[in-house]
Amino acid sequence: MKREERFVERLSRHHDELRWLYMELYDNGDMFAELCERMREFAVNRDADLVKMDGEREQDPKWFRGNDMLGMMLYIDNFAGNLKGVKAKLPYLSSCNVNCIHLMPFLESPKGRSDGGYAVADFRRIQPELGTMGDLKDLARACHKKGINLCMDFVMNHTSEDHAWAKKAREGDGEYMSRYFFYDNPSIPQEYDRTVPQVFPTTAPGNFTYLDKMGYYVMTTFYPYQWDLNYRNPRVFNEMMYNFLYLANQGMDIIRIDAVPYIWKELGTQCRNLPQVHTIVRMMRMICEIVCPSVLLLGEVVMEPEKVVPYFGTVEKPECHMLYNVTTMATTWHSVATRDVRLLKKQMDIVNGLPKDYLFLNYLRCHDDIGWGLDYATLEGYGMHEVEHKRFLNAYFTGKHAGSVSRGELYNDDPVTQDARFCGTTASMCGVERALSEQDETALSAAITQDLMLHAYMLTQSGIPMLYSGDEVGQLNDPSYKEDPAKREDSRYLHRGRFQWDLAAKHTEKGTLQERVFSGLARLEQIRKSREVFQSDAAVYTYDVKDNAILCILRENDKERFIGIFNFSDEAKTAWMEEPGTYENLITGDQVELKNPVIQGHDFVWVSKKK
Ligand code: GLC
């Protein structure tokens, strides 16, 4: 079939619904016609290799749901200097079993006002020191040859104040001012502030910024230099979709839609998760399926579970292909600090009860802070009260609590609400940093055991596991950001340090920290991808083993029964359980019986039995 015909066929599948939603939001037939025409151009101009992939993936819609998927997120400069450097390091990434790379923001963004690249000044230009669009395309092609998928961010809620639109708006050009939220007096901003919570209460208080010279207030939900786009304006939606398709056509496999719950604003609301957001995400999904059906949408929805799940849409009207398993991630660290898995078990039961079509991205930590979005109603029942509990967790992870081995820093410590989130690499949170500084070999072994246990537990979950670059070799916090005036105020840079290739190279030297973490993890990844029981469609449930420190997870299909037992305490514990027959310990290869097994402090077992 010719490209034009294929486009017409794909458009016809979605045209009525797309038009309906577009008109409901914008009531503008001319702009809709323009959108369709530009979609056609992007579709026919897609590179031949991508067109081929579109066709193949359309035939195999489950292509991204396999147990072999393993992601890693990294900042290009920290990892390999520039895009060409990343290409040169693909063999290392393959040796980590990684087949999906999330390149953290790399589009043009002003130095010192970039929010880690999340303030985009030009959606079609790459930060010059990282390379060119040609380099990106080249990297995508090299990745595809090695069976690696590439993911990038689409920061759609806002632009940098240096974006061409923002510059024209600042000059008073009404056409461009209407692409943002401008007010000539504080009354409406004040009204918004009554209902809209703050994202960065300490580092960027308020939701508006006063532009002195201009005498206007502009909406800035995040940093003052990130101006919120006004999606009530169809020109904003259309142009942003053209940017989206332009980036997709560089060879992206996954596009992470950043901060998506925030994109629609309505006075008198919290300006999060409004129905119009779902209309827009649904339209994006259809636009993808029409122009570039091999591209997946990953929604960044850092919200409580009942707000997250609607971003999958419905079976007939899907929205995102994948979402972050954020509450599970935060609950994991709560369990580490409390050595109590009751809430984690409950959280896992909720996720396991969701339709198998929902695909989550599981992670222990990412480039952002860890916020304490826990189920406090349930915690109350355990005698843990929100304010004191958050204080305990923060004291624990910053190493201030007796018995804590973690080394982390607070993030957005809010003097008003006394609320705070925290930052740290996985290894530093597990005690590796402390053990090394105190030259305590026993503590180091315990820390590595815990680090691997947490990874094993993450890999036991259904969905796509996502590592943060450096965690595979136990990389520590990097406090050097404190010397950089552009980063000093933002403690998230603590766990976004430069990848230390000299230390990482030790992953081949037997007995080093790097080797112990790397090979331990590699073993788990190999097991995961070689057994169908880790497929997303397996039945998964938790098992009560009568000890609050032990989490037990079962995975089952018609051929195999897998059990993972994870000890969140630092002491040896018994999992009170009895399973008939013998199981194979997947790590040691031993045949074992599951009769009240004892699990060493912070350790785990992975066992399985063929049916
Ligand atoms: C997302 C990013 C975060 C950024 C924010 C604003 O939450 O993960 O790093 O600060 O969006 O763009």
Side-chain angles (χ1 to χ4, degrees):
M1 216 192 296
K2 287 228 300 279
R3 287 176 183 217
E4 290 276 353
E5 288 166 32
R6 209 180 288 120
F7 170 75
V8 171
E9 191 260 317
R10 284 176 181 144
L11 176 63
S12 69
R13 251 186 265 161
H14 292 300
H15 178 272
D16 293 355
E17 189 194 344
L18 185 58
R19 187 169 205 290
W20 175 272
L21 293 180
Y22 192 97
M23 296 305 275
E24 187 183 51
L25 220 50
Y26 300 125
D27 192 22
N28 189 328
D30 290 347
M31 290 292 288
F32 181 72
E34 181 199 288
L35 175 68
C36 292
E37 171 50 23
R38 295 294 300 275
M39 278 169 28
R40 190 192 62 78
E41 285 168 23
F42 280 109
V44 299
N45 290 325
R46 229 165 125 69
D47 285 351
D49 49 343
L50 302 180
V51 169
K52 183 164 167 272
M53 201 151 70
D54 287 338
E56 288 163 1
R57 290 182 175 175
E58 250 182 342
Q59 294 305 310
D60 179 19
K62 292 191 169 176
W63 68 268
F64 57 97
R65 308 180 71 91
N67 47 330
D68 61 330
M69 290 292 284
L70 180 72
M72 185 177 277
M73 51 199 303
L74 52 90
Y75 271 99
I76 297 168
D77 53 348
N78 284 339
F79 179 69
N82 56 28
L83 284 163
K84 283 199 172 80
V86 175
K87 184 178 164 195
K89 297 290 185 194
L90 289 181
Y92 172 74
L93 292 169
S94 291
S95 78
C96 298
N97 297 306
V98 163
N99 60 1
C100 174
I101 309 170
H102 175 183
L103 297 174
M104 301 305 293
F106 51 76
L107 296 175
E108 197 161 87
S109 182
K111 290 238 160 40
R113 291 175 289 126
S114 82
D115 184 22
Y118 285 97
V120 178
D122 189 336
F123 289 92
R124 305 205 181 190
R125 248 177 76 93
I126 288 179
Q127 192 68 32
E129 62 273 21
L130 300 178
T132 62
M133 253 331 145
D135 293 340
L136 179 67
K137 236 182 182 178
D138 195 39
L139 174 63
R141 201 160 288 146
C143 282
H144 292 154
K145 277 204 189 108
K146 287 174 115 14
I148 297 176
N149 299 295
L150 211 51
C151 170
M152 76 174 284
D153 282 88
F154 184 55
V155 187
M156 65 182 295
N157 177 70
H158 42 260
T159 73
S160 154
E161 62 178 345
D162 283 14
H163 188 278
W165 298 355
K167 285 185 178 160
K168 290 202 175 112
R170 207 192 270 274
E171 284 161 12
D173 185 329
E175 155 77 25
Y176 291 91
M177 284 170 75
S178 74
R179 298 185 186 190
Y180 300 95
F181 295 88
F182 274 93
Y183 302 98
D184 60 4
N185 69 75
S187 69
I188 295 182
Q190 279 163 5
E191 242 180 276
Y192 271 111
D193 278 336
R194 271 194 270 281
T195 56
V196 183
Q198 301 198 36
V199 182
F200 298 148
T202 321
T203 47
N207 289 299
F208 288 85
T209 300
Y210 185 66
L211 304 173
D212 239 351
K213 281 199 196 108
M214 203 187 168
Y216 272 88
Y217 294 83
V218 66
M219 187 186 275
T220 54
T221 303
F222 293 86
Y223 277 107
Y225 50 76
Q226 289 166 309
W227 293 9
D228 288 66
L229 284 168
N230 182 359
Y231 280 90
R232 280 170 196 277
N233 181 344
R235 177 52 63 204
V236 169
F237 177 77
N238 279 29
E239 293 296 333
M240 288 301 283
M241 288 308 101
Y242 308 154
N243 286 332
F244 174 86
L245 293 173
Y246 172 85
L247 294 166
N249 275 2
Q250 306 309 309
M252 292 306 116
D253 301 280
I254 304 173
I255 296 193
R256 174 184 182 274
I257 36 182
D258 181 62
V260 65
Y262 301 84
I263 61 175
W264 193 271
K265 277 77 177 180
E266 195 91 56
L267 210 54
T269 73
Q270 293 207 330
C271 295
R272 280 141 168 82
N273 308 302
L274 294 173
Q276 292 85 348
V277 173
H278 289 280
T279 303
I280 289 177
V281 178
R282 174 69 191 137
M283 289 201 285
M284 289 175 78
R285 173 70 180 252
M286 288 190 276
I287 290 169
C288 256
E289 288 184 9
I290 296 166
V291 180
C292 47
S294 59
V295 176
L296 305 175
L297 293 180
L298 163 62
E300 192 226 0
V301 185
V302 179
M303 301 272 158
E304 54 274 40
E306 56 278 20
K307 304 274 170 45
V308 173
V309 164
Y311 285 87
F312 282 118
T314 62
V315 176
E316 296 78 35
K317 299 187 191 321
E319 295 179 21
C320 292
H321 296 86
M322 300 181 279
L323 295 167
Y324 290 92
N325 201 350
V326 56
T327 304
T328 304
M329 184 278 291
T331 308
T332 303
W333 292 106
H334 146 90
S335 309
V336 167
T338 58
R339 289 125 159 96
D340 181 337
V341 301
R342 282 176 293 170
L343 186 64
L344 184 57
K345 183 173 177 311
K346 182 172 180 191
Q347 167 63 20
M348 297 200 82
D349 290 342
I350 295 173
V351 174
N352 293 333
L354 295 171
K356 301 281 175 219
D357 305 318
Y358 294 177
L359 193 71
F360 283 102
L361 238 110
N362 298 305
Y363 60 122
L364 292 174
R365 63 102 170 183
C366 65
H367 67 299
D368 280 330
D369 51 296
I370 297 179
W372 298 119
L374 305 173
D375 171 0
Y376 290 100
T378 300
L379 286 180
E380 275 291 325
Y382 306 154
M384 300 179 196
H385 313 295
E386 178 165 351
V387 175
E388 290 107 86
H389 190 55
K390 280 187 185 164
R391 217 170 282 153
F392 157 72
L393 292 169
N394 287 325
Y396 183 89
F397 286 106
T398 49
K400 297 201 175 79
H401 194 272
S404 161
V405 293
S406 170
R407 291 287 177 270
E409 284 181 11
L410 294 187
Y411 178 69
N412 267 282
D413 188 2
D414 186 341
V416 181
T417 59
Q418 301 234 317
D419 209 349
R421 288 115 77 174
F422 86 99
C423 302
T425 69
T426 303
S428 287
M429 292 190 278
C430 288
V432 174
E433 185 169 332
R434 176 182 167 275
L436 288 177
S437 74
E438 297 182 1
Q439 298 181 330
D440 182 340
E441 264 307 314
T442 317
L444 181 62
S445 288
I448 295 173
T449 303
Q450 184 175 29
D451 186 309
L452 289 173
M453 181 276 283
L454 291 175
H455 279 101
Y457 140 79
M458 174 182 78
L459 290 163
T460 304
Q461 295 170 50
S462 289
I464 304 182
M466 181 62 92
L467 302 169
Y468 192 94
S469 166
D471 278 3
E472 80 283 12
V473 284
Q475 194 162 305
L476 306 182
N477 290 338
D478 181 354
S480 68
Y481 77 95
K482 290 176 189 162
E483 281 129 50
D484 183 341
K487 295 179 176 165
R488 186 183 292 155
E489 301 299 325
D490 196 329
S491 52
R492 290 177 297 179
Y493 288 103
L494 181 71
H495 55 227
R496 295 177 182 169
R498 195 167 286 281
F499 188 77
Q500 292 172 325
W501 285 102
D502 49 342
L503 292 180
K506 294 191 186 172
H507 81 264
T508 52
E509 269 173 54
K510 193 102 195 98
T512 59
L513 157 71
Q514 292 74 17
E515 184 272 335
R516 287 157 84 187
V517 176
F518 188 94
S519 62
L521 203 51
R523 178 96 187 92
L524 296 170
E525 291 155 359
Q526 293 289 354
I527 295 171
R528 186 179 205 270
K529 70 174 172 188
S530 65
R531 302 186 94 94
E532 274 178 33
V533 77
F534 287 101
Q535 294 275 17
S536 294
D537 54 6
V540 187
Y541 35 100
T542 61
Y543 192 114
D544 187 3
V545 291
K546 313 278 185 297
D547 189 308
N548 288 346
I550 298 205
L551 180 72
C552 179
I553 307 173
L554 270 81
R555 302 188 61 90
E556 195 165 30
N557 61 18
D558 50 1
K559 295 191 213 87
E560 187 175 355
R561 186 172 162 84
F562 164 93
I563 299 180
I565 312 173
F566 310 90
N567 183 356
F568 278 70
S569 156
D570 49 359
E571 292 163 19
K573 293 269 181 180
T574 302
W576 299 102
M577 64 192 295
E578 207 167 328
E579 285 279 314
T582 42
Y583 277 76
E584 181 194 348
N585 181 322
L586 297 180
I587 312 291
T588 62
D590 295 342
Q591 295 295 310
V592 291
E593 279 186 17
L594 282 188
K595 200 170 168 196
N596 302 333
V598 175
I599 316 293
Q600 295 308 310
H602 287 323
D603 212 346
F604 73 98
V605 292
W606 266 14
V607 297
S608 141
K609 185 172 82 172
K610 291 265 179 316
K611 284 190 173 167

